[in-house]
Amino acid sequence: MKKLSIEHPFFEFMGNLGDWIILNVLFVITSLPVITLGMTMTALYQVALRRVRGESRYVAREYFQACRSEWKQSTKLWLIFLITGGILLFDVLYGKNLWKMLNLAIGVLVALWSFTFTYAFPLQARFQNSTKNTLRNALFLAFRNLPATLAMTALNCIPAVCIAAGEFYTMAAMPIFCVAGFSLTAWVNSLFLSGIFQKLIHRKEDEDENTAR
């Protein structure tokens, strides 16, 4: 009977799956204080983007390195989203009986918040920039790549949708997201983001080349 090599596709798949599970568990545990969520999301996407590019080997080490290097600016970014998101959530919960046009405006702001949130932490993970420019670039990329933005935002909203749907759906989704849901969401999003960021890098290189001429 033929022996299976450690380079067999099955073992490679199981190894990759194990890495994504480790990444997810690290993300869940380090996100429990809530205030650390900006740092952990940036670290999650830094590792996920590196894995999609084939540049990641040691998930845990790279994750904690990203946490140490990105905590300051990522926390500042997270606080902006936390405060603005809290205000929007209050408006959504308690503004149902308001004037219809005002409700529409709140809906537009929620969509803009969600689109910007989808790109902000991956951008923080991939590029060095100020918080202001990161937010501005996030909104720009969101509308420039609207089909991908809608797909990624829908994936990001799954936990919130499960919570809103009730206790049964929340309890059903919880084991999935505690084991691999967040990291696999980051993986799928990173497949979109890698192509988007690569185009952005090429565009910047072309602009620099034209300026040099």
Side-chain angles (χ1 to χ4, degrees):
M1 191 168 87
K2 187 181 292 186
K3 292 184 179 180
L4 290 176
S5 167
I6 59 172
E7 297 181 357
H8 191 276
F10 172 77
F11 292 113
E12 290 183 7
F13 169 78
M14 293 304 294
N16 285 328
L17 180 60
D19 285 341
W20 287 110
I21 291 173
I22 291 170
L23 180 60
N24 192 90
V25 171
L26 290 174
F27 172 76
V28 171
I29 292 173
T30 53
S31 297
L32 290 177
V34 180
I35 192 64
T36 61
L37 202 50
M39 173 189 74
T40 58
M41 281 190 290
T42 300
L44 173 68
Y45 273 100
Q46 191 169 118
V47 177
L49 287 165
R50 285 175 60 84
R51 289 193 69 82
V52 167
R53 298 196 306 270
E55 299 173 1
S56 173
R57 294 185 63 191
Y58 305 104
V59 168
R61 182 191 302 175
E62 292 167 16
Y63 180 82
F64 286 116
Q65 284 176 346
C67 285
R68 284 194 295 270
S69 62
E70 299 290 345
W71 72 269
K72 188 173 183 180
Q73 192 163 349
S74 296
T75 301
K76 182 179 178 181
L77 195 61
W78 167 236
L79 288 175
I80 292 171
F81 280 108
L82 185 62
I83 294 168
T84 54
I87 294 170
L88 289 173
L89 181 61
F90 179 86
D91 290 338
V92 169
L93 293 176
Y94 298 102
K96 296 177 181 178
N97 297 322
L98 296 176
W99 186 40
K100 288 184 178 180
M101 289 300 292
L102 187 56
N103 280 329
L104 180 61
I106 293 171
V108 170
L109 289 175
V110 169
L112 291 175
W113 186 95
S114 301
F115 290 171
T116 308
F117 183 89
T118 296
Y119 283 88
F121 295 100
L123 277 169
Q124 179 64 35
R126 187 71 177 88
F127 302 100
Q128 291 290 332
N129 218 329
S130 66
T131 301
K132 179 181 177 180
N133 285 339
T134 296
L135 291 171
R136 184 174 61 184
N137 291 338
L139 193 58
F140 168 76
L141 289 175
F143 283 98
R144 188 177 178 84
N145 305 277
L146 194 56
T149 300
L150 293 173
M152 290 188 290
T153 302
L155 279 174
N156 291 341
C157 287
I158 290 176
V161 171
C162 290
I163 292 171
E167 185 178 350
F168 173 80
Y169 294 98
T170 302
M171 296 305 293
M174 189 178 295
I176 298 172
F177 279 92
C178 284
V179 174
F182 293 110
S183 63
L184 292 181
T185 297
W187 169 63
V188 175
N189 285 349
S190 294
L191 295 175
F192 290 108
L193 291 164
S194 289
I196 292 170
F197 290 167
Q198 199 59 39
K199 291 178 183 176
L200 187 66
I201 292 169
H202 289 327
R203 182 182 175 188
K204 183 68 170 62
E205 289 174 348
D206 291 341
E207 289 176 355
D208 291 343
E209 185 177 343
N210 291 333
T211 302
R213 290 175 183 174

